[in-house]
């Protein structure tokens, strides 16, 4: 039986998402903000984050999958392209977790081809131990050294996304 060790509570998540939402609202006041969530993992974070941003903004999603089980395949598959026009707009990529950084780097490079005015990254969790590429995470709610976590959108083989808090999964 897998074991779920609590790492971040619902209350802590709520508090941090609110703070990051306020930071983004302040920093993008004079900009043309489009949140682009990375499916599937970011869907829960995205839903909460957008409601903590007080300035006008638009929402889109990009579909990318890179993982099977707990190890990276090193391949990225684009399953959905953004629908909104991103040229000359200020794109904030919203991701569940940055681990090696490979997925987000590829997504960021792809978005850059659409000629936005700016592209920055907002991740619920910034996990450091296995980082392989130099990528700037402009906003993150939590910083973790290592571990494999699930809940609040984060999955293990597509399960446990529904858990309202974040747990370390011991298989
Ligand atoms: P990266 O390319 O190594 O940065 O991997 C990023 C993707 O791997 C994330 O979008 C997640 O879908 C998945 N991932 C990485 N670490 C974890 C974890 O601890 N729990 C669940 N998914 C993870
Ligand atoms: Mg995932």
């Amino acid at each position: 039986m897998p074991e779920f060790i609590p790492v971040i509570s619902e209350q802590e998540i709520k508090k941090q998402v609110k703070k990051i939402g306020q930071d983004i609202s302040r920093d993008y006041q004079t900009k043309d903000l489009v949140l682009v969530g990375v499916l599937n993992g970011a869907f829960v974070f995205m839903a909460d984050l957008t409601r903590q941003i007080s300035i006008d903004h638009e929402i889109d999603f990009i579909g990318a999958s890179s993982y099977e089980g707990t190890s990276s395949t090193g391949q990225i598959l684009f399953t959905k392209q953004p629908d909104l026009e991103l040229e000359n707009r200020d794109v904030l990529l919203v991701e569940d977790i940055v681990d090696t950084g490979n997925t987000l780097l590829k997504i960021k490079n792809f978005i850059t081809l659409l000629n936005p005015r700016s592209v920055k990254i907002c991740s619920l969790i910034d996990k450091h131990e296995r980082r392989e590429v130099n990528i700037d995470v402009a906003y993150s709610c939590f910083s973790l050294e290592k571990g494999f976590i699930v809940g609040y959108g984060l999955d293990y083989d597509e399960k446990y996304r529904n858990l309202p808090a974040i747990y370390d999964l011991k298989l």
Side-chain angles (χ1 to χ4, degrees), residues 38-46 64 95-96 151-155 161:
V38 181
L39 294 171
N40 293 330
F43 82 106
V44 179
F45 177 40
M46 186 80 157
E95 175 64 303
D96 53 359
Y152 197 75
L154 289 144
D155 71 304
R161 294 193 196 274

Side-chain angles (χ1 to χ4, degrees), residues 1 18 34-35 41 49 57 74 96 103 116-117 125 127 151 164 169:
M1 280 292 278
K18 185 170 182 182
V34 186
L35 298 182
L49 182 66
H57 63 284
D96 53 359
T103 308
R117 184 161 51 198
I125 291 156
K127 192 168 74 175
L169 179 67

Side-chain angles (χ1 to χ4, degrees), residues 67 95-103 127 147-149 154-155:
Y67 260 60
E95 175 64 303
D96 53 359
I97 186 165
V98 184
D99 185 13
T100 64
N102 286 312
T103 308
K127 192 168 74 175
F148 191 84
I149 54 170
L154 289 144
D155 71 304

Side-chain angles (χ1 to χ4, degrees), residues 9-98:
S9 70
E10 273 187 83
Q11 292 89 324
E12 285 174 281
I13 296 171
K14 202 168 178 187
K15 188 171 145 218
Q16 273 306 105
V17 173
K18 185 170 182 182
K19 184 192 170 290
I20 294 299
Q22 286 168 347
D23 290 350
I24 292 167
S25 305
R26 181 197 61 219
D27 298 348
Y28 282 83
Q29 213 152 25
T30 60
K31 305 221 156 84
D32 182 14
L33 175 62
V34 186
L35 298 182
V36 176
V38 181
L39 294 171
N40 293 330
F43 82 106
V44 179
F45 177 40
M46 186 80 157
D48 284 344
L49 182 66
T50 185
R51 288 176 291 172
Q52 296 300 335
I53 296 177
S54 55
I55 57 167
D56 282 346
H57 63 284
E58 293 176 23
I59 286 173
D60 205 341
F61 288 94
I62 186 166
S65 76
S66 62
Y67 260 60
E68 278 173 27
T70 57
S71 70
S72 176
T73 60
Q75 296 268 333
I76 186 168
L77 191 71
F78 285 101
T79 54
K80 185 203 172 290
Q81 312 259 339
D83 295 311
L84 295 176
E85 176 65 64
L86 300 180
E87 189 165 348
N88 287 323
R89 308 194 68 188
D90 298 294
V91 174
L92 187 57
L93 282 169
V94 179
E95 175 64 303
D96 53 359
I97 186 165
V98 184

Side-chain angles (χ1 to χ4, degrees), residues 86 101 107 132 144 147 170:
L86 300 180
I107 294 171
E132 288 173 6
L144 285 184
K170 301 281 182 235

